[in-house]
Amino acid sequence: MTTIKIDPVTRLEGHLKIEVEVDSNNVVTNAYSSGTMFRGFEKILVGRDPRDAIHITQRICGLCPVSHAIASVKAIEESFGFKPSENAKLIRNLIQGANYLSDHILQFYHLSLLDYAKGPSQSPWTPGYDIDYRLSDTQNSALINNYLKALEIRRKAHEMAAIFAGKIPHVMSIVPGGVTKKPTPTDITNFKNYLSIVKSFVDNVYINDVNIIANAYSDYYNIGKGSGNLLTFGVFDMPNSSNTLFAPGTYTNGVYGSVNMNNIKENIKYSWYTGTSSHPSSGDTNPDHTKSGAYSWLKSPRYNGQVYEVGPLARMFMNKEYTRGISVMDRHMARALETKKIANEMTNWINQVSTTESTYTQLPLPQSGVGVGLTEAPRGGLGHWLDFSSQQISKYQIVTPTCWNVSPRDDAGKMGPLEQALIGTKVADINQPIELLRIVHSFDPCTGCSIHVIDSEKNIKAQFVVSTPNPKGLLNV
């Protein structure tokens, strides 16, 4: 048996360690994914004004702060017994949509592309692996040029979001009662101009580049399946409707079903937390980094006791707009097609925004309340559970997409989706396990919402280790 450890995994948000065991044929037989950063936002929020949660929880992540704002404001407005105006819903969709476009473009070009295309032999593209690059020189050069172009497009998507959000990341205008930004004709014109540029890149560049990668690496349609079960909470409230653009639901053993949030349970047997596994509404977040047997700061959410993957593939599957399969390449294809769908829908939303109708209602703060905010971050289902009394938060629990996808084993010993996806993978070169990175990056992990611990010597040096048991049972590092 040989152990391969990648710590930290680069080109993702946050701190993640992957450790796998391979047999004599270099096939993965065991896997562990470990979130190595603790943030403790649930504890930070206790005792604060419930409305503060919108801004504090956005600091969980620099990539998907808008989704945390949406989940938080939904929880607060539910506890207040309030529903925002249609105009406010439209503007929230446009802000969140712009964040999606930016995030999906980032995930493909700046977090995943270098797993398939070779970057220039200079910083920041070096050092890196030098194995299994299949593109022609012409294709490779074109994709790296688009890597650079994507940086500009992401900036434009951010500027587009900021028109209605005030700034991004960490938006200011999403509040209980709606949106504090009242749109003007100039705002709408400027937003449309930005959207046209970003949409053109998505339609004419991004989609084409994903197809190039998919054709060159078509074997990755058969690699990295994972649990095979998919879950989505639904996202983008449609105007004048109770529906969402992406419907909530489950896909379990090939069968579509509805979703009941009461069936969620956070397992903590292999996580550095004390307490018992429970539904998020009654759960807690009490860290214990000395806990025996634990190996991750991520909890293990499960639905009906089963392992589920969340993300763009789940959303597109639930809408039956992409159902080819569940794999590394399916995740990239679904994400690209979702980006195109959202950009198209944003054109409809911006055309419906009114410059005269209300976007905000000032709300008094109740003495107590309970609320749940469910939405989808770019990388999957996100939930906020709020309980407050005497106008102060008494409990706040957050279940992030990466907790679903990159979770450790649950109480029954079942591996999380990423861990399962790594099993059975053939590694061509254990010193350059590019296959593992391709699987990990396809899930788009964001462990800014898990944890970070530094030892007494503050040793945070990145490491890559291949270890083989010696005759004495020790590991050679």
Side-chain angles (χ1 to χ4, degrees):
M1 180 193 74
T2 300
T3 298
I4 302 173
K5 180 168 65 174
I6 307 175
D7 182 20
V9 179
T10 55
R11 283 187 280 120
L12 54 78
E13 172 72 13
H15 302 72
L16 177 67
K17 177 177 72 174
I18 296 296
E19 185 171 334
V20 303
E21 298 169 359
V22 298
D23 62 17
S24 58
N25 295 315
N26 290 345
V27 174
V28 177
T29 59
N30 205 357
Y32 299 87
S33 62
S34 177
T36 60
M37 182 174 64
F38 174 74
R39 300 293 293 277
F41 275 82
E42 292 88 348
K43 293 300 184 185
I44 294 171
L45 288 164
V46 172
R48 293 180 178 270
D49 187 311
R51 296 167 294 191
D52 290 348
I54 296 172
H55 302 289
I56 293 174
T57 59
Q58 287 189 68
R59 271 64 186 175
I60 288 172
C61 181
L63 290 183
C64 48
V66 178
S67 297
H68 283 287
I70 294 292
S72 184
V73 80
K74 281 177 172 287
I76 295 168
E77 287 178 342
E78 181 178 283
S79 72
F80 285 16
F82 175 83
K83 293 184 178 181
S85 69
E86 299 304 314
N87 217 28
K89 286 164 57 176
L90 284 169
I91 295 175
R92 287 181 182 179
N93 282 353
L94 291 168
I95 296 171
Q96 191 170 19
N99 187 209
Y100 264 71
L101 300 187
S102 172
D103 198 287
H104 284 351
I105 291 169
L106 164 76
Q107 198 282 331
F108 177 71
Y109 284 100
H110 307 128
L111 304 184
S112 295
L113 181 60
L114 295 183
D115 294 339
Y116 308 95
K118 190 172 179 59
S121 299
Q122 64 187 64
S123 179
W125 295 279
T126 57
Y129 294 160
D130 187 16
I131 187 173
D132 193 27
Y133 289 115
R134 308 177 191 176
L135 303 179
S136 68
D137 290 344
T138 299
Q139 288 175 321
N140 196 89
S141 178
L143 264 74
I144 294 302
N145 285 337
N146 290 339
Y147 171 107
L148 298 173
K149 179 66 175 178
L151 293 170
E152 175 189 346
I153 297 300
R154 284 198 64 233
R155 174 175 57 81
K156 291 184 180 298
H158 272 186
E159 291 172 353
M160 175 171 62
I163 291 172
F164 296 133
K167 68 183 184 67
I168 192 168
H170 310 139
V171 304
M172 300 302 295
S173 64
I174 295 174
V175 297
V179 178
T180 56
K181 169 64 179 179
K182 185 175 182 179
T184 67
T186 299
D187 292 332
I188 293 173
T189 298
N190 289 340
F191 195 98
K192 287 180 177 180
N193 290 338
Y194 276 116
L195 181 58
S196 177
I197 294 170
V198 177
K199 186 176 182 299
S200 177
F201 179 85
V202 171
D203 292 343
N204 302 312
V205 181
Y206 179 19
I207 297 294
N208 181 63
D209 287 350
V210 174
N211 282 324
I212 290 173
I213 296 299
N215 289 333
Y217 295 86
S218 59
D219 50 324
Y220 276 84
Y221 280 114
N222 300 308
I223 296 173
K225 179 178 181 179
S227 69
N229 295 333
L230 304 171
L231 171 72
T232 175
F233 296 163
V235 65
F236 295 114
D237 295 331
M238 296 300 286
N240 303 307
S241 170
S242 60
N243 297 327
T244 50
L245 179 64
F246 293 96
T250 59
Y251 181 77
T252 311
N253 299 322
V255 178
Y256 288 92
S258 59
V259 61
N260 183 338
M261 295 306 155
N262 293 324
N263 295 335
I264 296 174
K265 184 178 182 180
E266 287 188 288
N267 292 242
I268 62 170
K269 181 176 181 179
Y270 293 95
S271 307
W272 285 304
Y273 297 102
T274 60
T276 58
S277 298
S278 62
H279 186 272
S281 63
S282 57
D284 211 334
T285 303
N286 296 312
D288 178 9
H289 72 280
T290 65
K291 181 178 175 180
S292 176
Y295 62 93
S296 180
W297 284 109
L298 292 172
K299 298 180 182 180
S300 301
R302 297 293 185 261
Y303 183 82
N304 272 339
Q306 297 192 62
V307 179
Y308 282 81
E309 174 181 335
V310 300
L313 183 59
R315 292 190 291 266
M316 293 296 279
F317 242 88
M318 199 53 52
N319 270 37
K320 299 182 180 179
E321 296 182 53
Y322 185 91
T323 57
R324 186 190 187 283
I326 301 173
S327 69
V328 168
M329 204 53 63
D330 288 312
R331 294 184 189 102
H332 287 301
M333 292 298 292
R335 184 176 289 108
L337 293 172
E338 177 180 84
T339 309
K340 180 180 178 70
K341 177 182 175 66
I342 292 171
N344 288 339
E345 196 62 37
M346 288 173 68
T347 301
N348 297 328
W349 290 333
I350 189 64
N351 286 331
Q352 296 179 61
V353 171
S354 169
T355 58
T356 58
E357 294 180 9
S358 172
T359 61
Y360 172 68
T361 301
Q362 188 169 352
L363 303 176
L365 176 62
Q367 284 295 311
S368 61
V370 176
V372 180
L374 300 171
T375 187
E376 292 273 323
R379 54 198 44 80
L382 172 65
H384 286 209
W385 281 260
L386 164 69
D387 193 337
F388 70 94
S389 58
S390 301
Q391 298 186 327
Q392 293 185 341
I393 295 173
S394 54
K395 182 183 289 291
Y396 204 105
Q397 287 297 113
I398 303 159
V399 180
T400 65
T402 300
C403 281
W404 287 97
N405 285 338
V406 190
S407 62
R409 288 155 175 77
D410 57 27
D411 293 2
K414 295 191 294 289
M415 295 180 178
L418 172 57
E419 293 178 332
Q420 291 188 30
L422 292 166
I423 301 298
T425 303
K426 170 77 172 181
V427 179
D429 181 350
I430 60 174
N431 293 296
Q432 298 190 78
I434 188 68
E435 300 86 356
L436 306 185
L437 284 184
R438 288 169 180 162
I439 294 170
V440 172
H441 287 146
S442 74
F443 281 91
D444 191 19
C446 175
T447 54
C449 5
S450 37
I451 306 185
H452 186 58
V453 172
I454 301 175
D455 63 27
S456 58
E457 296 178 357
K458 297 184 178 180
N459 181 11
I460 57 174
K461 181 180 179 180
Q463 58 176 312
F464 169 75
V465 178
V466 175
S467 52
T468 305
N470 65 19
K472 296 182 179 180
L474 303 177
L475 292 180
N476 297 320
V477 178

